[in-house]
C-alpha cells in the first residue's frame, strides 16, 4: 500500500556551514508551482521543463526583491530522488541567504520537511530500500572519503541485492517445506533433508560473512577506534595532542593525570579515526582511578587497534608488563611505541620480546609520522580497505540480521533431528528477519507461492 | 392482513454455516428460526465426502471446544478416520474423516429438530427487510413474512447460482437444487456489494464398475480418535478404505483432446474459483509437464454405491468426462452416475464483514460461510458458530465474542476474512496461522473451552471435566519442571541404556524430557514411578511431551503472541482521536477512524503503517491501554 503524502515539502539538503554552495530541495506535487511563483529564469528556456537546469533569481513575490542568484534543476516524478516532482535549488552557501530563500519557498506553498522525510518518501515510493535509506543518512553526515564511499557503495544496492538473493533462496526452501506441511495429500516431493542441510549450511556461511562485513562497516562508518594504552606518564596524552595538533588532553608530569577516556576524531589517509586517550594502566591508587582503568579496559575491547606507549627513558616496571599483557589479551592489531627517545634510553630492547617497535618523541614529534604510516598500513592489512565488501546497517537492521542468523542456526542444528514444522518456523523467521534487513515487504505469502509452484488440489 | 411471526434471530440457509449458527443462537436461549429452501437437504455435502485435514481439522476441533455441533456429528457418522502429517510435527498434525454424507445430514437434521428454542421452516427468502438502517425481517417467495432483531444469512453457493457443464448452462443450485433468486438484489438494494465466484465438483462413479485391483488401498486408522474432546481416545474399528488412482499420459491426452469444451477455455464462467481445488483441465493447462496426478477414490457412505473422485474435478461436457475417467487405470469401465459440474454464485464483496461476522453495511445483519467468500464445510461451520454466538450475545446485551489470531484457527479465519482482498475464495490451512505451535490440534480445549463456558455453550458439567483434564496437563508440566534428577550411578547407567548422554549435574524432569529420544515414560522410569502420580492417558502425555520438547519454540511464539494480543486489543475505529495523532498522514488517520478495519493488528498485518507511524501510535495510545485490557472479558 502506497502512502505518499500529497503535500509539498522543502528543506536544506546540505549540512550547515560546510560548503560554498547550499542545496535546497522541494519535493511534492506542487514543487513546480512553488518555484513558478518565486523563480525568474535568466535564459530563454521556458520553466519548468522536465530534467533541466536553469540559472536565474529567487524573487520575494510581494516585495519583488531578489534574494539570490541560483541554479534550479527540475526532476519529474517518478524519475527523481523522492519519486515525486522535485526541484533542487543551489544557492550561495551563506547561511543568511540560504535561510532567506528557504523562507520564501515555505511562504509560497511548501512546508518544512521533517527530518528524514525526503528519504522516507523515496523509500515509500519504492525508490530505495531500507539499506539505501541508511546509506543516504550516512552519506549526508560522512566525514571521510572512506565513509562516503561506503555509503555510495550501499546506494548501488549491492548489499540489498545480496540479502535479497539469500532471502529468495531460503524462501524457495520454505515454500517447498510449507507445501508438504499444508497439503500432505498432494503428491509433493518429500524434502531431502541431507541436501537441505547442506544448502542451509552454505547459506549460513554466506550470511555470516555478510554479518561480519556489516560489523566492519559500522566500524568504518563510526570511525575506526584506536586506543592509546600505556602506564601512567608514558606520554599517551602528549601523543594524542601532537596528532590532533592541539592541546586536547591535559599533560603533566604527575602519573595518573588522565583519569577518564577521551575520544577525538582525525583523518588518517581516507579513514576517519577515533583516537582514544586512556587512563594509564596500573594497580589503581584510588577509586576514581580504578573506574578510569576499568574504562580503559572497555576501550580496549571496543577498539579496532591499539597503540602501546612505553616510556623509553625509564626502566620497565610491573605496570609496563601489565600493559604488554593487556595488548596480548586483546588480540587486536597493535603498534608498540617507544616514547621519549629524546631522552637517554633505559628500556632494554628485549623487553618487547623481539616485537617490532616504533621510536618516537611526543616532545618534538619525531617518529610520529611513522606512527601514522603504520596505522595506515594496519588498516589496509585488516581487510577494511576493500570498501566494496563493507555493509552499513542501522541498529534495527543489525538486530534483524542477528535474529536471522540465530534462527538459521537453529534450523541448521535442528534439521534431521527436528520435526519439519519446527524447521519451517525457523526458516520462516529467517526469511522474515532478512526481509527486515532490507525492508522488503514483511508479509511473506508462502501460500501464494505454493500455488504458483505446485499443482495442489483435488 | 397477515400476522407476521416474530423471532429474535432468523437464520437463512441450513448448510454447514446455518446449522451451527441456528444451534448456537438457540442454545444460548434465543428463540431462533431457521429458514431453508429445502428441509430435505439440511447439512448437505455437495462436494467431497470428508471433513478435516490440516487447518480444517483444527477448526473442527475448535468448534467442539467452543460448544458447536460439527465434531459431534462427524464423529458419529464417519466411515473412516485418520491422522495426517504425523511425521511432520505436532503443529501440522490433524485428523481427517470420511463422512457418510447421508447419515451426516440425518443426524444434523435430527439435532436441529430436537433443539430447544429452534424452529425450522422450509422457505425461499427473496427479500430482507431493513428499517432505519437496521435489519427487521425477511420476506419469502410465497409472500410470507417473518420479523426479527438479528438476521444471519448463510446462503452458501445458492445466490443467483448457475450450473455450467461444457457449453451448457442453466440456473440452479448444487445437487440439483434450485437457485436462490431475489435475495441478491435485495441485499444490493441495501448497499451490500456482491461479487461472482465459482467452484466445481468431480463426477461420481458406480462402485461396482471399478477395478480395485489396479488401485492402492488407503485404510483408516482405528486409533485416531474422534474430533470431539469426549471422543479423543475413541476406537474406530469398522472403517471403509479409500483408494488411490493416478492419471497418466493417456489421461492427459484425454483432457487435452477435450480441452476446447472446457469452460475454462470457453470462458463462459468467472475465473475466480478456489485455488486449492483446480479442475483437472486447469491442472493440465497450468502444469503441462506433469502427467501423474493423484485421484483419491472416496466412498460417500456405508451403503452408498457412489464413489467420489477427488482430483478429477471438471465441468467439461459428459462425453469428455467419460473419456477422461476411462483413461485412468482401474476406472476403464467406470460408470458415471452424476457428472461433475461447475457452479457460479454471488458472494459478498471484500471488506464487508467484521471479525464478529457482522455486516458493516446493515446493522443487525450477520453472514457466514460460502457467502462470505470462503470455501469448505469446516470454514462455513466455524463462521456460522461465531455469527450465531454474536447475534445471541448482542440480543442479551453482552459484549461480542472476538476470537483472536493468537488462540484459535477460528480467530485466524475470521480475521483473515474481514481483511481478505483476493479474488479467490478463502480456505484455511496452517499456512495462514502464524502461531501454529500454540494452535495445535491437541490444545483446542485448553485454548477455548473457557470461552465456550463463559459464552454459555459449554455447560457446567462439561466445563468441569475439561477443566480438570486441563489442570492435569498443566500441573504435570509444573511438576516436571520442579522434579530433580541427580547423577547417581543407577541413573547414569539407565541413561546410557536409553542411548542418551551422561548426566553430570542435577537436572529437572523437563530438562531430561527435552533430550532427543527420551519419552515421558522414560522420565517416569528414571525418577521412580512409585513416588509420584504419573499420567497415563495417551493424549495428555502427548501434549506434555510436545510442549516440553519444543519449549524454546513455544517461548519465542509466546513473545510474538503478547505483541499481537496487544495490537488486537486496540479496536478500530478509534473513538477519540488524540490531538497528538494529527501528525500522522491523512490516509493513516482515515484508516484509524473509519469503519474499515477491526483492530490495529489488521493494519499492521496489511502493511498499512510505516514503522514510525506505528511507533507514534503506540506511544500515544499506551496510556489508554490499561483501560482496554488484554482481551474482551465476557461478563455474566
Ligand atoms: C459444486 C460444488 C463444489 C464444491 N467444491 C468444494 C471443494 O472442492 N472444496 C471445498 O472445501 N468446498 C467445496 N464446496 C463448497 C462447500 O460445499 C461449501 O463450502 C459449504 O457447503 C458451504 O457451506 P454454507 O453453509 O456456507 O453453504 P451451503 O452448504 O451451500 O448451504 C446453503 C444453504 O442455504 C440455503 N439457502 C440459500 N439461499 C437461500 C434462500 N434465499 N432462502 C432460504 N435458504 C437458502 C440452501 O438451501 C442451503 O441449505 C463446493 C460446493 C459446490 C456446490
Ligand atoms: N622528554 C619527553 N617528555 C615527554 C615525552 N612525552 C611525554 N613527556 C612528558 O611526560 C609527562 C607525562 O606525559 P603525559 O602525556 O601526561 O603522559 P600520560 O601517559 O598521558 O600519563 P597519564 O595520563 O598520567 O597516564 C609529561 O610531563 C610530558 O611532558 C617525550 O617524548 N619526551
Ligand atoms: Mg594522560
Amino acid at each position: 500500500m502506497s502512502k505518499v503524502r500529497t503535500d509539498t515539502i522543502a528543506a536544506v539538503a546540505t549540512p550547515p556551514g560546510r560548503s560554498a554552495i547550499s542545496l535546497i530541495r522541494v519535493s511534492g506535487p506542487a514543487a513546480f508551482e512553488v518555484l513558478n511563483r518565486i523563480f525568474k529564469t535568466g535564459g530563454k528556456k521556458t520553466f519548468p521543463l522536465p530534467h533541466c537546469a536553469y540559472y536565474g533569481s529567487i524573487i520575494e513575490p510581494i516585495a519583488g526583491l531578489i534574494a539570490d542568484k541560483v541554479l534550479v534543476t527540475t526532476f519529474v516524478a517518478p524519475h527523481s530522488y523522492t519519486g515525486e516532482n522535485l526541484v533542487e535549488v543551489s544557492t550561495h552557501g551563506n547561511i543568511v541567504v540560504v535561510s532567506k530563500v528557504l523562507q520564501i519557498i515555505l511562504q509560497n506553498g511548501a512546508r518544512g520537511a521533517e527530518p528524514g522525510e525526503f528519504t522516507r518518501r523515496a523509500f515509500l515510493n519504492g525508490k530505495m530500500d531500507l539499506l539505501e535509506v541508511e546509506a543516504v543518512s550516512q552519506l549526508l553526515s560522512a566525514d571521510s572519503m572512506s565513509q562516503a564511499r561506503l555509503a555510495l557503495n550501499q546506494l548501488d544496492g549491492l548489499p540489498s541485492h545480496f540479502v535479497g538473493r539469500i532471502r529468495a533462496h531460503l524462501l524457495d526452501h520454505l515454500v517447498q517445506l510449507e507445501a508438504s506441511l499444508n497439503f500432505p495429500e498432494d503428491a509433493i516431493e518429500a524434502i531431502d533433508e541431507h541436501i537441505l542441510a547442506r544448502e542451509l549450511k552454505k547459506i549460513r556461511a554466506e550470511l555470516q560473512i555478510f554479518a561480519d562485513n556489516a560489523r566492519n562497516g559500522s566500524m568504518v562508518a563510526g570511525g575506526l577506534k584506536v586506543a592509546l594504552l600505556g602506564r601512567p606518564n608514558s606520554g599517551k596524552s602528549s601523543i594524542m595532542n601532537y596528532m590532533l595538533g592541539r592541546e586536547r588532553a591535559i599533560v603533566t608530569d604527575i602519573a595518573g593525570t588522565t583519569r577518564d577516556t577521551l575520544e577525538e576524531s582525525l583523518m588518517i589517509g581516507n579513514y576517519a579515526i577515533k583516537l582514544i586517550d586512556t587512563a594509564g594502566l596500573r594497580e589503581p591508587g584510588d577509586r576514581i582511578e580504578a573506574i578510569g582503568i576499568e574504562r580503559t579496559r572497555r576501550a580496549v575491547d571496543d577498539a579496532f587497534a591499539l597503540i602501546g606507549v612505553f616510556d623509553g627513558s625509564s626502566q620497565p616496571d610491573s605496570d609496563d608488563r601489565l600493559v604488554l599483557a593487556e595488548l596480548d589479551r586483546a588480540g587486536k592489531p597493535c603498534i608498540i611505541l617507544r616514547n621519549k627517545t629524546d631522552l637517554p634510553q633505559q628500556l632494554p630492547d628485549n623487553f618487547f620480546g623481539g616485537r617490532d617497535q616504533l621510536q618516537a618523541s611526543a616532545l618534538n614529534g619525531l617518529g610520529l609520522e611513522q606512527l601514522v604510516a603504520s596505522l595506515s598500513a594496519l588498516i589496509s592489512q585488516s581487510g577494511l580497505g576493500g570498501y566494496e565488501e563493507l555493509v552499513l546497517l542501522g541498529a534495527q537492521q543489525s538486530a534483524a540480521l542477528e535474529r536471522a542468523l540465530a534462527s538459521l542456526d537453529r534450523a541448521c542444528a535442528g534439521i534431521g533431528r527436528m520435526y519439519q514444522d519446527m524447521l519451517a518456523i525457523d526458516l520462516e523467521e529467517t526469511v522474515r528477519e532478512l526481509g527486515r534487513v532490507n525492508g522488503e515487504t514483511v508479509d511473506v505469502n508462502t501460500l501464494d507461492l505454493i500455488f504458483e509452484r505446485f499443482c495442489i488440489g483435488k | 392482513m397477515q400476522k407476521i411471526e416474530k423471532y429474535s434471530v432468523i437464520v437463512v440457509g441450513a448448510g454447514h454455516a446455518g446449522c451451527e449458527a441456528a444451534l448456537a443462537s438457540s442454545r444460548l436461549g434465543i428463540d431462533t428460526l431457521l429458514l431453508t429452501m429445502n428441509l430435505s437437504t439440511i447439512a448437505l455435502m455437495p462436494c467431497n465426502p470428508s471433513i478435516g485435514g490440516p487447518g480444517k481439522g483444527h477448526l473442527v476441533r475448535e468448534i467442539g471446544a467452543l460448544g458447536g455441533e460439527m465434531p459431534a456429528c462427524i464423529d458419529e457418522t464417519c466411515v473412516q478416520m485418520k491422522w495426517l502429517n504425523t511425521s511432520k510435527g505436532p503443529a501440522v498434525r490433524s485428523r481427517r474423516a470420511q463422512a457418510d454424507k447421508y447419515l451426516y445430514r440425518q443426524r444434523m437434521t435430527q439435532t436441529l429438530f430436537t433443539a430447544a428454542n429452534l424452529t425450522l421452516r422450509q422457505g425461499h427468502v427473496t427479500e430482507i427487510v431493513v428499517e432505519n438502517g437496521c435489519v427487521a425481517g425477511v420476506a419469502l417467495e410465497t409472500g410470507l413474512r417473518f420479523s426479527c432483531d438479528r438476521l444471519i444469512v448463510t446462503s452458501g453457493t445458492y445466490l443467483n447460482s448457475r450450473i455450467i457443464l461444457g457449453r451448457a448452462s442453466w440456473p440452479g443450485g448444487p445437487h440439483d437444487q434450485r437457485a436462490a433468486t431475489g435475495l441478491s438484489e435485495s441485499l444490493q438494494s441495501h448497499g451490500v456489494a456482491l461479487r461472482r465466484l465459482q467452484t466445481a465438483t468431480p463426477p461420481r462413479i458406480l462402485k461396482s464398475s471399478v477395478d480395485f485391483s489396479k488401485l492402492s488401498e488407503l485404510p483408516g486408522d482405528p486409533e485416531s480418535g474422534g474430533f470431539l474432546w469426549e471422543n479423543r481416545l475413541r476406537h474406530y474399528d469398522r472403517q471403509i478404505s479409500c483408494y488411490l488412482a493416478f492419471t497418466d499420459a493417456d489421461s492427459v491426452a484425454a483432457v487435452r483432446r477435450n480441452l476446447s469444451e472446457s469452460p475454462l477455455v470457453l470462458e463462459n464462467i468467472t475465473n475466480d474459483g478456489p485455488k486449492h481445488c483446480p479442475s483437472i483441465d486447469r491442472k493440465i493447462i497450468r502444469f503441462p509437464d506433469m502427467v501423474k496426478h493423484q485421484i483419491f477414490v472416496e466412498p460417500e457412505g456405508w451403503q452408498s454405491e457412489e464413489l467420489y473422485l477427488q482430483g478429477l474435478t471438471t465441468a467439461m461436457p459428459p462425453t469428455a468426462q467419460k473419456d477422461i475417467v476411462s483413461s485412468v487405470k482401474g476406472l476403464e469401465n467406470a460408470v458415471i452416475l452424476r457428472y461433475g459440474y461447475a457452479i457460479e454464485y454471488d458472494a459478498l464483496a471484500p471488506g464487508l464483514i467484521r471479525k464478529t461476522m457482522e455486516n458493516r453495511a446493515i446493522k443487525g445483519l450477520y453472514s457466514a460461510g460460502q457467502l462470505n467468500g470462503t470455501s469448505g464445510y469446516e470454514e462455513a461451520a466455524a463462521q456460522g458458530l461465531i455469527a450465531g454466538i454474536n447475534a445471541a450475545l448482542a440480543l442479551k446485551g453482552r459484549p461480542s465474542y472476538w476470537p483472536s489470531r493468537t488462540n484459535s484457527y477460528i480467530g485466524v479465519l475470521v480475521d483473515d476474512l474481514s481483511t481478505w482482498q483476493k479474488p479467490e475464495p478463502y480456505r484455511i490451512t496452517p499456512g495462514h496461522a502464524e502461531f501454529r505451535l500454540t494452535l495445535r490440534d491437541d490444545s483446542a480445549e485448553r485454548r477455548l473451552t473457557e470461552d465456550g463456558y463463559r459464552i454459555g455453550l459449554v455447560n457446567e458439567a462439561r466445563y468441569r471435566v475439561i477443566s480438570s483434564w486441563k489442570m492435569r496437563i498443566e500441573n504435570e508440566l509444573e511438576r516436571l519442571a520442579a522434579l530433580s534428577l541427580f547423577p547417581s550411578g543407577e541413573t547414569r547407567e539407565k541413561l546410557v541404556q536409553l542411548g542418551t548422554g551422561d548426566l553430570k549435574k542435577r537436572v529437572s524432569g523437563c530438562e531430561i524430557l527435552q533430550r532427543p529420544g527420551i519419552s515421558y515414560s522414560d522420565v517416569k522410569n528414571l525418577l521412580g514411578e512409585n513416588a509420584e502420580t504419573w499420567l497415563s492417558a495417551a493424549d495428555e502425555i502427548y501434549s506434555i511431551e510436545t510442549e516440553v520438547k519444543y519449549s524454546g519454540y513455544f517461548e519465542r511464539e509466546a513473545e510474538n503472541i503478547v505483541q499481537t494480543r496487544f495490537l488486537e486489543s486496540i479496536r478500530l475505529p478509534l473513538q477519540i482521536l488524540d490531538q497528538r495523532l494529527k501528525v500522522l498522514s491523512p490516509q493513516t488517520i482515515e484508516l484509524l477512524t473509519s469503519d474499515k478495519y477491526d483492530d490495529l493488528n489488521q493494519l499492521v498485518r496489511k502493511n498499512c503503517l510505516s514503522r514510525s507511524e506505528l511507533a507514534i501510535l503506540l506511544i500515544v495510545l499506551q496510556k489508554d491501554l490499561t483501560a482496554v485490557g488484554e482481551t474482551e472479558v465476557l461478563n455474566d
Side-chain angles (χ1 to χ4, degrees):
Chain A
M1 171 164 191
S2 122
K3 287 189 314 308
V4 184
R5 290 211 191 167
T6 48
D7 53 355
T8 297
I9 54 173
V12 180
T14 35
R18 284 205 192 172
S19 51
I21 305 251
S22 280
L23 188 70
I24 298 176
R25 282 206 179 108
V26 188
S27 176
F32 298 145
E33 280 93 311
V34 171
L35 262 288
N36 241 334
R37 285 179 208 134
I38 59 170
F39 176 65
K40 188 165 176 304
T41 127
K44 296 198 180 66
K45 252 186 310 183
T46 43
F47 179 86
L49 291 175
H51 309 284
C52 275
Y54 300 86
Y55 186 68
S57 321
I58 295 288
I59 298 173
E60 210 284 305
I62 300 169
L65 292 177
I66 295 182
D68 194 18
K69 292 274 189 197
V70 296
L71 189 69
V72 167
T73 321
T74 54
F75 303 86
V76 176
H79 306 291
S80 75
Y81 171 73
T82 52
E84 305 174 327
N85 281 347
L86 180 94
V87 179
E88 288 186 353
V89 184
S90 308
T91 73
H92 292 96
N94 182 315
I95 186 71
V96 183
V97 174
V98 179
S99 318
K100 183 72 196 157
V101 172
L102 182 63
Q103 194 188 353
I104 295 172
I105 289 173
L106 295 182
Q107 283 163 351
N108 284 279
R111 82 168 160 75
E114 295 155 23
E117 198 174 1
F118 283 94
T119 314
R120 194 168 83 220
R121 287 185 181 203
F123 176 60
L124 291 177
N125 286 322
K127 297 302 274 191
M128 49 176 73
D129 64 24
L130 277 181
L131 282 179
E132 292 167 342
V133 170
E134 196 66 35
V136 170
S137 60
Q138 300 272 1
L139 186 58
L140 291 178
S141 62
D143 277 327
S144 70
M145 256 320 274
S146 59
Q147 289 167 314
R149 291 252 301 268
L150 174 53
L152 277 174
N153 172 26
Q154 188 97 349
L155 271 176
D156 289 341
L158 285 175
S160 32
H161 235 103
F162 173 82
V163 173
R165 186 172 61 75
I166 292 257
R167 182 170 173 270
H169 215 86
L170 286 171
L171 188 55
D172 228 44
H173 293 303
L174 177 62
V175 166
Q176 167 95 29
L177 199 57
E178 283 286 307
S180 84
L181 293 178
N182 280 277
F183 305 99
E185 300 200 288
D186 290 278
I188 291 157
E189 214 182 308
I191 306 264
D192 183 330
E193 296 196 336
H194 289 292
I195 295 179
L196 183 56
R198 220 181 309 131
E199 287 275 306
L200 291 186
K201 292 223 169 72
K202 222 174 74 200
I203 294 176
R204 170 77 181 70
E206 280 187 78
L207 201 59
Q208 185 60 57
I209 292 172
F210 180 79
D212 291 344
N213 289 339
R215 246 168 253 142
N216 291 341
S218 66
M219 258 203 309
V220 171
L224 294 171
K225 290 186 176 164
V226 176
L228 290 155
L229 205 66
R231 73 156 151 88
N233 250 343
S234 55
K236 302 179 293 295
S237 301
S238 307
I239 292 169
M240 168 107 158
N241 287 346
Y242 193 92
M243 289 182 76
L244 291 173
R246 61 193 165 94
E247 300 299 305
R248 172 65 182 84
I250 301 166
V251 172
T252 72
D253 56 2
I254 303 165
T257 303
T258 307
R259 295 246 168 160
D260 198 355
T261 52
L262 279 179
E263 242 184 61
E264 279 299 324
S265 297
L266 73 153
M267 296 297 301
I268 288 186
N270 275 337
Y271 283 90
I273 302 287
K274 282 228 169 96
L275 195 58
I276 301 167
D277 185 16
T278 64
L281 264 186
R282 66 169 170 191
E283 287 308 317
D286 59 31
R287 245 197 52 196
I288 301 182
E289 195 173 11
I291 295 171
I293 290 173
E294 184 49 44
R295 293 226 172 123
T296 301
R297 290 235 157 80
R298 225 175 300 146
V300 168
D301 291 337
D302 284 353
F304 154 74
L306 304 169
I307 302 174
V309 181
F310 298 87
D311 182 347
S313 70
S314 63
Q315 284 290 339
D317 62 8
S318 60
D319 294 340
D320 284 313
R321 277 186 284 279
L322 194 66
V323 172
L324 264 192
E326 187 68 14
L327 291 178
D328 283 342
R329 181 191 70 86
K332 305 207 166 172
C334 81
I335 294 172
I336 290 174
L337 188 77
R338 173 194 287 269
N339 191 28
K340 307 196 188 178
T341 50
D342 53 298
L343 297 176
Q345 298 297 288
Q346 305 263 350
L347 181 72
D349 271 343
N350 64 10
F351 176 71
F352 301 118
R355 275 178 281 195
D356 285 347
Q357 47 172 304
L358 291 181
Q359 319 256 346
S361 162
L363 195 68
N364 54 28
L366 269 176
L368 288 180
E369 263 156 54
Q370 184 53 42
L371 176 61
V372 170
S374 297
L375 271 178
S376 201
L378 262 193
I379 295 169
S380 13
Q381 279 160 21
S382 71
L384 289 177
Y387 316 109
E388 302 74 27
E389 309 268 281
L390 295 184
V391 175
L392 269 186
L393 297 180
Q396 300 249 19
Q397 292 161 292
S398 309
L401 181 60
E402 289 306 321
R403 287 194 297 268
L405 272 172
S407 49
L408 188 53
D409 273 344
R410 281 196 300 274
C412 287
I415 189 164
R417 300 196 294 123
M418 235 13 164
Y419 281 123
Q420 292 188 351
D421 56 358
M422 310 292 168
L423 186 60
I425 291 174
D426 288 329
L427 283 187
E428 197 273 338
E429 191 174 332
T430 314
V431 168
R432 185 157 29 91
E433 296 298 346
L434 285 180
R436 290 198 173 128
V437 173
N438 60 344
E440 285 176 50
T441 50
V442 178
D443 179 27
V444 203
N445 202 329
T446 26
L447 283 172
D448 282 351
L449 296 172
I450 291 174
F451 288 121
E452 263 165 42
R453 249 181 68 188
F454 298 97
C455 182
I456 300 287
K458 324 176 230 169
Chain B
M1 228 188 88
Q2 168 218 345
K3 184 172 171 298
I4 298 180
E5 271 184 70
K6 155 113 201 203
Y7 293 86
S8 299
V9 168
I10 293 179
V11 178
V12 178
H16 304 280
C19 291
E20 293 292 345
L23 285 172
S25 162
S26 60
R27 284 170 179 171
L28 288 174
I30 302 291
D31 61 315
T32 305
L33 171 67
L34 175 57
L35 284 169
T36 192
M37 283 167 58
N38 186 343
L39 281 177
S40 338
T41 57
I42 287 173
L44 178 74
M45 293 188 194
C47 196
N48 53 326
S50 74
I51 283 182
K56 286 167 173 273
H58 290 83
L59 284 180
V60 181
R61 294 270 304 111
E62 292 175 0
I63 292 170
L66 279 174
E69 192 59 28
M70 180 174 254
C73 194
I74 184 63
D75 282 356
E76 296 308 322
T77 59
C78 63
V79 298
Q80 187 192 90
M81 189 69 91
K82 75 196 298 186
W83 278 111
L84 299 177
N85 262 349
T86 38
S87 63
K88 292 180 192 156
V92 289
R93 202 172 98 115
S94 71
R95 283 186 190 82
R96 211 217 20 231
Q98 293 297 139
D100 181 318
K101 58 204 273 183
Y102 304 95
L103 282 184
Y104 189 90
R105 272 159 60 186
Q106 266 178 27
R107 189 181 186 281
M108 188 61 89
T109 306
Q110 206 155 34
T111 305
L112 292 170
F113 271 104
T114 51
N117 308 316
L118 182 59
T119 308
L120 286 95
R121 293 283 184 275
Q122 181 161 306
H124 178 172
V125 174
T126 50
E127 193 190 328
I128 73 166
V129 182
V130 176
E131 283 164 12
N132 307 323
C134 256
V135 124
V138 295
L140 308 189
E141 171 184 57
T142 53
L144 271 180
R145 283 171 168 262
F146 295 92
S147 71
C148 65
D149 298 318
R150 292 289 186 279
L151 178 65
I152 305 175
V153 181
T154 66
S155 54
T157 52
Y158 289 74
L159 290 192
N160 284 339
S161 54
R162 196 165 64 89
I163 302 294
I164 297 103
L165 193 61
R167 289 172 195 274
S169 163
W170 59 89
H175 205 67
D176 248 345
Q177 303 274 295
R178 295 169 57 196
T181 51
L183 190 52
S184 291
E185 292 71 20
S186 176
L187 284 166
Q188 277 169 316
S189 74
H190 293 295
V192 178
L194 301 176
R195 60 172 163 160
R196 218 58 190 145
L197 293 176
Q198 61 104 342
T199 185
T201 193
R204 313 297 197 270
I205 56 174
L206 183 65
K207 197 197 285 178
S208 56
S209 66
V210 172
D211 181 356
F212 287 101
S213 69
K214 292 185 181 161
L215 312 184
S216 41
E217 185 175 351
L218 304 170
D221 170 7
E223 305 300 327
S224 61
F227 286 99
L228 197 68
W229 182 82
E230 285 78 352
N231 295 335
R232 67 199 184 282
L233 299 171
R234 175 168 170 173
H235 288 256
Y236 285 97
D237 292 325
R238 199 165 73 96
Q239 302 201 17
I240 318 183
S241 293
C242 294
Y243 292 84
L244 184 59
F246 290 99
T247 60
D248 57 16
D250 292 344
S251 332
V252 172
V255 173
R256 289 237 169 85
R257 70 178 161 262
N258 288 290
L259 217 46
S260 62
E261 296 301 306
S262 162
L264 272 182
V265 175
L266 295 170
E267 295 185 341
N268 57 350
I269 188 168
T270 167
N271 205 23
D272 296 335
K275 255 189 178 170
H276 50 272
C277 306
S279 58
I280 186 72
D281 353 351
R282 192 183 289 271
K283 290 193 239 182
I284 302 294
I285 295 171
R286 282 216 44 216
F287 297 93
D289 300 332
M290 239 178 112
V291 169
K292 197 172 171 189
H293 296 271
Q294 302 181 106
I295 299 164
F296 290 93
V297 181
E298 304 177 1
E300 297 217 311
W302 296 110
Q303 312 289 334
S304 171
E305 290 303 320
E306 292 178 60
L307 294 171
Y308 173 92
L309 297 181
Q310 190 199 103
L312 271 193
T313 295
T314 185
M316 289 203 240
T319 45
Q321 294 196 23
K322 273 190 195 153
D323 201 11
I324 296 165
V325 169
S326 61
S327 74
V328 177
K329 304 292 163 290
L331 308 185
E332 292 89 343
N333 301 311
V335 174
I336 299 183
L337 295 171
R338 308 183 201 226
Y339 287 98
Y341 61 88
I343 186 167
E344 206 187 75
Y345 56 95
D346 289 339
L348 297 186
L352 279 172
I353 32 178
R354 291 178 213 284
K355 278 163 85 163
T356 54
M357 300 288 101
E358 234 180 317
N359 195 284
R360 291 188 193 276
I362 304 177
K363 271 194 84 177
L365 176 65
Y366 298 70
S367 58
Q370 198 105 357
L371 174 63
N372 281 353
T374 58
S375 103
Y377 312 134
E378 305 84 348
E379 287 86 344
Q383 293 167 66
L385 177 63
I386 298 303
I389 287 175
N390 278 324
L393 289 178
L395 290 174
K396 289 165 162 257
R398 295 174 52 186
S400 334
Y401 180 56
W402 298 66
S404 159
R405 297 187 74 85
T406 64
N407 79 345
S408 62
Y409 271 84
I410 298 184
V412 171
L413 168 71
V414 297
D415 187 57
D416 280 347
L417 258 187
S418 72
T419 57
W420 189 249
Q421 291 288 349
K422 296 195 181 149
E424 76 268 9
Y426 180 94
R427 172 202 180 180
I428 196 82
T429 69
H432 289 290
E434 60 272 48
F435 306 117
R436 60 192 188 197
L437 212 46
T438 303
L439 308 190
R440 288 183 335 273
D441 174 281
D442 60 293
S443 67
E445 286 75 18
R446 285 165 60 202
R447 295 180 270 118
L448 294 173
T449 296
E450 178 92 34
D451 287 353
Y453 173 66
R454 291 218 196 132
I455 290 165
L457 285 179
V458 172
N459 66 26
E460 192 69 39
R462 182 167 197 239
Y463 177 59
R464 286 254 171 84
V465 251
I466 294 182
S467 295
S468 66
W469 163 86
K470 178 178 167 180
M471 288 308 290
R472 267 204 305 282
I473 295 174
E474 283 163 13
N475 289 343
E476 184 64 359
L477 284 167
E478 275 177 28
R479 192 181 73 96
L480 279 180
L483 279 181
S484 291
L485 185 64
F486 295 97
S488 73
E490 191 195 355
T491 303
R492 294 171 66 173
E493 203 171 294
K494 275 188 189 166
L495 283 172
V496 172
Q497 277 167 16
L498 287 167
T500 177
D502 199 359
L503 193 63
K504 299 222 163 56
K505 56 176 181 34
R506 179 214 159 250
V507 291
S508 75
C510 284
E511 282 166 319
I512 200 78
L513 184 50
Q514 267 161 9
R515 291 191 174 189
I518 295 287
S519 68
Y520 179 82
S521 72
D522 292 334
V523 179
K524 172 173 152 187
N525 234 311
L526 284 162
L527 283 160
E529 27 193 308
N530 315 326
E532 306 272 356
T533 46
W534 291 84
L535 301 182
S536 56
D539 66 311
E540 295 165 21
I541 292 174
Y542 172 79
S543 295
I544 284 170
E545 286 182 342
T546 305
E547 282 173 37
V548 171
K549 286 204 178 292
Y550 304 104
S551 56
Y553 287 84
F554 282 101
E555 280 157 25
R556 275 189 301 280
E557 213 169 82
E559 283 170 28
N560 292 328
I561 284 182
V562 169
Q563 217 176 43
T564 300
R565 284 242 166 108
F566 174 76
L567 291 171
E568 280 183 339
S569 73
I570 301 169
R571 292 284 155 74
L572 298 180
L574 292 179
Q575 300 303 321
I576 325 154
L577 191 70
D578 189 295
Q579 276 301 340
R580 288 168 296 172
L581 290 181
K582 297 269 160 72
V583 300
L584 300 175
S585 70
Q587 285 90 337
T588 304
I589 292 183
E590 154 86 9
L591 287 175
L592 292 171
T593 51
S594 64
D595 190 10
K596 288 196 183 120
Y597 289 91
D598 287 325
D599 61 44
L600 196 55
N601 192 47
Q602 294 188 335
L603 288 187
V604 172
R605 282 177 57 77
K606 291 274 152 188
N607 283 323
C608 297
L609 297 178
S610 71
R611 239 184 257 161
S612 51
E613 283 176 312
L614 182 61
I616 293 171
L617 252 172
L618 292 185
I619 291 165
V620 171
L621 293 176
Q622 194 98 41
K623 270 219 181 90
D624 311 324
L625 276 173
T626 39
V628 176
E630 260 219 344
T631 41
E632 197 90 341
V633 181
L634 292 160
N635 42 30
D636 103 356

